[in-house]
Every structure is written in C-alpha cells, then in structure tokens.
Amino acid sequence: MLAFTGPDVLVTYERTGGFAGIRERVTVGATGTAVVNGAKITLKDEEMRGLRDALGRVVTTRSSAAGCDVADHFTYTLTYRGHRTTRCRIPCDWRAAVERLEALTIRPEALTRR
C-alpha cells in the first residue's frame, strides 16, 4: 500500500464505522500528492489551494465521544498541524475540509483500488 509520513504530510483524514464497517483513509502530502485508500492521486493546484484554505479554518483539535452512543455511527479522525482529533460528529469548522477530502474518495483513480 502506498503511504507517506512525516513532514511531507499536510493532512490525514479517516472515516470508519457505519453499518457496513467501512474504513476510508486519505493522506494528502504538502506537494499535492494524495493516497486515497491505497490509490495515488495528484491534486490540481486549485484543489490544493481550496483544501489549504478549508484546513486553515479548522480550530477544533480536541477529541470528543459525543454522538458515539449511536449504533453503527461513523468516527472521523483528522490529523493536521500536529493534532490528531477523533469525533463522532463533524464539527462545523471541519465541514469544508472534510467535504474536499471525502470528494477524493469517489474520484475514478481512487475507485479502481476498491
């Protein structure tokens, strides 16, 4: 499986759980290369600008179990700027970034690895 770590990583996003027990993982490098569920994707410059802008609005860095008491819930984990935060509800300040990261999981390049 393709992966990269360390200072080259801009953000890592994971969504796990649900009725089907899914596990999605998106890691975006600082240069615009992403690994989406094991598939390598290159983000365009405007995609990276939009993602960086959305990530710049993330201020929730404390994990919370609120919402985890529901059967088959999803768990969302965002690792960004040295913080690894897990939530069962997406905070408002995460929404734009999460939408951009989840959109990568349905790109044709990512779907061929499933």
Side-chain angles (χ1 to χ4, degrees):
M1 180 158 135
L2 296 171
F4 50 94
T5 58
D8 295 335
V9 174
L10 174 65
V11 63
T12 299
Y13 168 73
E14 295 173 88
R15 180 173 67 141
T16 59
F19 180 73
I22 70 157
R23 179 179 175 95
E24 294 187 324
R25 181 180 173 95
V26 178
T27 303
V28 180
T31 61
T33 299
V35 178
V36 180
N37 299 324
K40 184 177 176 184
I41 293 177
T42 301
L43 279 68
K44 296 177 183 170
D45 290 341
E46 59 270 14
E47 290 176 305
M48 281 298 291
R49 278 192 298 275
L51 178 58
R52 285 180 191 275
D53 180 56
L55 288 168
R57 289 182 252 142
V58 170
V59 294
T60 302
T61 58
R62 199 178 85 243
S63 293
S64 172
C68 294
D69 55 350
V70 177
D72 301 322
H73 70 277
F74 283 105
T75 300
Y76 306 90
T77 302
L78 190 68
T79 305
Y80 177 63
R81 288 190 178 162
H83 297 280
R84 179 177 169 83
T85 307
T86 300
R87 295 282 182 131
C88 296
R89 292 187 186 136
I90 299 172
C92 294
D93 57 303
W94 286 23
R95 180 99 24 222
V98 166
E99 287 174 358
R100 289 179 176 277
L101 293 163
E102 285 187 352
L104 298 176
T105 67
I106 59 171
R107 286 189 33 179
E109 308 96 311
L111 294 174
T112 59
R113 295 284 294 196
R114 290 187 175 182

